[in-house]
Amino acid sequence: METLIPSRLTTLGHPQRLAIFRLLMRRYPDRLPAGELSEVLGIKPSTLSSYLSALTQAGLVTQERAGTSLRYSIAMEEVRRTFDYLLTDCCRGRPDLCAPLSIFPHMEGQTMPNRKFNVLFICTGNSARSIFAESILRALAGDRFEAFSAGTDPESQLNPFALEVLRQNGHDVSGLHAKTVATYQGPDAPVFDFVFTVCNRAANEACPAWEGQPVSGHWGVPDPVKAEGTPAEKALAFRQAYSAFLHRIRAFAALPMERLDRISLQRAVDDLAHLPRGDTE
């Protein structure tokens, strides 16, 4: 690691390579095609290729072939090793200097089983997917979680197909409405324990750090709003999206929060992104 660390720091010292690294971190555990990276960051494909090569050679990014294209992801274990080495070498193992932040720093001194956790689901329009997630968590575990949702560019109205799916599954939709992320970034906003992005576009955006350092995750689900075909085919896309969130949120609500440290909980949240959709009627 003595020679590897300087190489990795040098690689990340370039602004655009760092931008690629940060985007892949936000989208972890997704694997992104080079075309999407190029489009989101505004980097020419030829230039992007050289940057990705440098990050891969430094061991910070992995690539995997999917058909005729390559997809890229953070080499999370190597990134963790890098950070661990820096903290251990810098702090000489002194936890008073470099210990990780408490998982719930704003609630220190309180026992975890006796309080609700605040969870925010973010999408672009806040008209379907994030509304699904908010409603499902509230219905499944409203005694343990306060569920919220917001959009980076919210629609004026909720999608009618989404509302119909919620009604069919017994949810009360009377209080639901689209909200902007800014609603939850003021001084009177809740302090979140968990923040999830549920669409790729929202995950690609560089948002300010949330107060309290919440556990974060990306649970991307295909946008049912973009479904084409007959009304029945469009309705099916919304039911499939609902089913995907139901499957993940049921597993999330079952996690033993009081027994998991921050690292274990973050890994569990990341693993849930790989769960299959579950059964769909």
Side-chain angles (χ1 to χ4, degrees), residues 72-149:
Y72 297 87
S73 180
I74 286 292
M76 189 56 73
E77 289 304 316
E78 285 302 310
V79 170
R80 289 191 180 113
R81 288 182 63 208
T82 301
F83 292 155
D84 287 346
Y85 179 87
L86 288 171
L87 292 177
T88 301
D89 184 69
C90 171
C91 303
R92 294 293 188 264
R94 287 182 56 185
D96 56 317
L97 295 179
C98 292
L101 293 171
S102 169
I103 186 168
F104 303 115
H106 57 288
M107 296 298 291
E108 286 187 9
Q110 297 191 25
T111 56
M112 293 177 61
N114 295 327
R115 60 174 289 271
K116 286 187 175 182
F117 304 119
N118 292 327
V119 183
L120 176 64
F121 298 98
I122 301 175
C123 197
T124 304
N126 192 213
S127 67
R129 286 170 290 181
S130 51
I131 292 290
F132 281 166
E134 174 190 359
S135 300
I136 291 169
L137 181 59
R138 185 177 295 123
L140 287 181
D143 58 329
R144 298 172 54 222
F145 298 92
E146 291 285 357
F148 305 84
S149 70

Side-chain angles (χ1 to χ4, degrees), residues 6-249:
S7 172
R8 289 179 175 175
L9 293 179
T10 299
T11 301
L12 292 175
H14 187 283
Q16 288 186 307
R17 288 196 292 262
L18 180 60
I20 296 169
F21 179 83
R22 293 180 64 194
L23 175 55
L24 290 174
M25 283 291 285
R26 290 198 298 275
R27 289 288 301 275
Y28 182 81
D30 284 2
R31 292 186 173 275
L32 275 64
E36 183 173 349
L37 291 168
S38 176
E39 179 181 358
V40 172
L41 297 173
I43 302 175
K44 294 189 300 183
S46 58
T47 305
L48 177 70
S49 178
S50 66
Y51 292 158
L52 286 170
S53 177
L55 289 164
T56 302
Q57 290 176 12
L60 297 168
V61 168
T62 63
Q63 65 178 26
E64 180 180 274
R65 183 165 293 281
T68 59
S69 64
L70 293 173
R71 294 180 177 268
Y72 297 87
S73 180
I74 286 292
M76 189 56 73
E77 289 304 316
E78 285 302 310
V79 170
R80 289 191 180 113
R81 288 182 63 208
T82 301
F83 292 155
D84 287 346
Y85 179 87
L86 288 171
L87 292 177
T88 301
D89 184 69
C90 171
C91 303
R92 294 293 188 264
R94 287 182 56 185
D96 56 317
L97 295 179
C98 292
L101 293 171
S102 169
I103 186 168
F104 303 115
H106 57 288
M107 296 298 291
E108 286 187 9
Q110 297 191 25
T111 56
M112 293 177 61
N114 295 327
R115 60 174 289 271
K116 286 187 175 182
F117 304 119
N118 292 327
V119 183
L120 176 64
F121 298 98
I122 301 175
C123 197
T124 304
N126 192 213
S127 67
R129 286 170 290 181
S130 51
I131 292 290
F132 281 166
E134 174 190 359
S135 300
I136 291 169
L137 181 59
R138 185 177 295 123
L140 287 181
D143 58 329
R144 298 172 54 222
F145 298 92
E146 291 285 357
F148 305 84
S149 70
T152 57
D153 185 19
E155 301 287 346
S156 59
Q157 294 182 334
L158 301 187
N159 186 282
F161 282 100
L163 289 175
E164 182 59 26
V165 169
L166 288 171
R167 292 190 188 97
Q168 290 173 354
N169 285 277
H171 296 278
D172 179 8
V173 302
S174 59
L176 297 177
H177 62 281
K179 304 163 292 295
T180 176
V181 169
T183 303
Y184 301 115
Q185 293 179 321
D188 298 327
V191 177
F192 292 106
D193 304 300
F194 300 89
V195 175
F196 297 99
T197 50
V198 297
C199 73
N200 293 346
R201 181 177 164 189
N204 288 342
E205 297 177 4
C207 295
W210 291 93
E211 181 182 350
Q213 296 294 316
V215 172
S216 62
H218 177 53
W219 290 351
V221 168
D223 187 359
V225 175
K226 295 181 179 179
E228 299 180 351
T230 66
E233 290 170 330
K234 292 179 180 179
L236 176 60
F238 281 87
R239 292 199 301 272
Q240 289 175 331
Y242 178 92
S243 177
F245 286 119
L246 178 63
H247 200 44
R248 289 174 183 173
I249 291 172

